[in-house]
């Protein structure tokens, strides 16, 4: 049976749209106070107001988590203003596809900075607080949920560096899980397939069109579908650790 998150605090990165926005809204619905972390302040303010209007509590933190100092500051401000930290959803990420030959190396740098380094900075800053929360009421368990991708399970042409970053997320998640699980900090990874979000908006125009044609006949997942999976993980009883969820559209046959 799911356990509500009343009296707990969650932090969600990439909360200004897509999976992050849906996850933040869902965690607030489950009773958590939510720190909303992203770069687009207007969207964060609108989401925070929506959560407050629904009776919840949200803190908008305009932050670029690829800057370690700013990632640390976001975590520390969450704890300072909301009182603790029980749940982290490391969702912020970017997908920049295309051939490796002649690729703009700046795109590779962006993916490594956000998908890997940003995720690591947030996890590193949050872990002491998650360990502390797992030792106290009301739930005596804490959760770090890293959002990866089906691209973290197999490599495909034209997504090599994106594959690299998401394989790295999967490996880090499992290694960290082994380190802290006996302290009742649950470390989980969610690997979505095709989701109807803004992720493809960052692709170069010629790559974007190819990607959209590839999934033209696929009934895409909604961001809320992934938020539901996240909620399942973090509302599970203390004795239950859901380590990995792979979730694809029903008619997505490939990676």
């Amino acid at each position: 049976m799911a356990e509500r998150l009343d009296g707990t605090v969650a932090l969600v990165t990439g909360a200004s749209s897509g999976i992050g926005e849906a996850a933040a809204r869902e965690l607030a619905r489950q009773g958590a106070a939510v720190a909303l972390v992203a770069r687009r302040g207007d969207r964060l303010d609108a989401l925070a107001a929506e959560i407050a209007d629904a009776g919840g509590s949200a803190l908008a933190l305009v932050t670029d988590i690829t800057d370690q100092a700013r990632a640390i500051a976001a975590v520390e401000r969450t704890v300072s203003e909301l009182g603790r930290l029980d749940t982290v959803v490391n969702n912020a990420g970017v997908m920049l596809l295309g051939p490796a030959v002649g690729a703009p190396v700046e795109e590779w740098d962006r993916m490594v900075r956000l998908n890997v380094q940003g995720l690591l900075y947030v996890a590193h800053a949050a872990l002491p607080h998650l360990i502390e929360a797992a030792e106290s009421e009301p739930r005596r368990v804490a959760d770090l949920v890293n959002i990866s991708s089906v691209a973290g399970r197999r490599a495909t042409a034209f997504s090599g560096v994106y594959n690299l970053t998401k394989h790295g997320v999967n490996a880090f998640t499992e290694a960290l899980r082994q380190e802290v699980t006996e302290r009742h900090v649950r470390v989980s990874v969610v690997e979505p397939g095709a989701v109807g979000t803004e992720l493809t908006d960052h692709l170069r125009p010629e790559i974007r069109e190819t990607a959209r044609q590839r999934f033209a006949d696929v009934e895409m997942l909604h961001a809320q579908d992934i938020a539901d999976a996240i909620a399942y993980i973090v509302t599970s009883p203390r004795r239950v650790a859901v380590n990995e969820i792979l979730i694809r559209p029903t008619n997505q046959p490939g990676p």
Side-chain angles (χ1 to χ4, degrees):
M1 181 178 293
E3 299 181 350
R4 283 184 53 82
L5 303 177
D6 300 292
T8 72
V9 173
L11 181 151
V12 180
T13 69
S16 61
S17 66
I19 292 170
E21 179 183 357
R25 191 180 287 115
E26 183 61 33
L27 294 176
R29 191 156 39 230
Q30 295 293 334
V34 184
L36 312 170
V37 177
R39 293 181 301 174
R40 293 178 288 188
D42 55 340
R43 293 196 179 191
L44 294 185
D45 289 341
L47 179 57
E50 176 191 331
I51 289 171
D53 288 345
S57 175
L59 174 66
L61 298 173
V62 179
T63 304
D64 180 355
I65 63 167
T66 66
D67 181 322
Q68 185 180 11
R70 295 184 68 184
I72 293 170
V75 170
E76 295 306 317
R77 189 174 163 198
T78 298
V79 175
S80 174
E81 297 198 23
L82 300 181
R84 57 188 292 140
L85 183 57
D86 304 78
T87 303
V88 171
V89 179
N90 246 331
N91 163 75
V94 64
M95 178 182 71
L96 302 171
L97 308 180
V101 177
V105 174
E106 187 274 338
E107 291 188 348
W108 294 2
D109 292 340
R110 283 179 62 193
M111 286 189 283
V112 171
R113 283 197 302 267
L114 183 55
N115 299 2
V116 179
Q117 290 178 306
L119 180 144
L120 293 176
Y121 293 155
V122 171
H124 186 266
L127 276 165
H129 301 291
L130 295 175
I131 290 168
E132 183 178 352
E135 295 170 347
S136 64
E137 300 296 338
R139 301 190 72 227
R140 296 186 304 119
V141 68
D143 287 279
L144 172 61
V145 181
N146 292 327
I147 306 303
S148 180
S149 167
V150 295
R153 297 175 66 91
R154 58 179 295 181
T156 55
F158 310 115
S159 7
V161 178
Y162 185 64
N163 289 146
L164 180 153
T165 64
K166 293 304 185 178
H167 276 73
V169 169
N170 288 8
F172 172 70
T173 301
E174 172 56 17
L176 181 60
R177 182 198 70 79
Q178 294 176 34
E179 291 186 31
V180 298
T181 191
E182 291 180 318
R183 304 181 78 168
H184 285 91
V185 176
R186 302 183 295 202
V187 185
S188 309
V189 66
V190 177
E191 302 152 312
V195 185
T197 69
E198 297 177 2
L199 197 62
T200 59
D201 293 353
H202 302 283
L203 297 172
R204 282 172 279 145
E206 66 277 15
I207 305 296
R208 184 188 313 133
E209 184 58 29
T210 300
R212 289 178 176 173
Q213 288 178 5
R214 177 183 172 192
F215 292 103
D217 296 326
V218 173
E219 183 181 2
M220 305 282 251
L221 295 170
H222 296 175
Q224 184 61 43
D225 298 326
I226 311 305
D228 290 343
I230 294 166
Y232 173 68
I233 290 170
V234 304
T235 63
S236 292
R238 184 173 185 260
R239 67 182 181 276
V240 178
V242 182
N243 304 139
E244 180 179 19
I245 293 181
L246 170 63
I247 175 170
R248 291 188 181 97
T250 300
N251 67 332
Q252 181 183 345

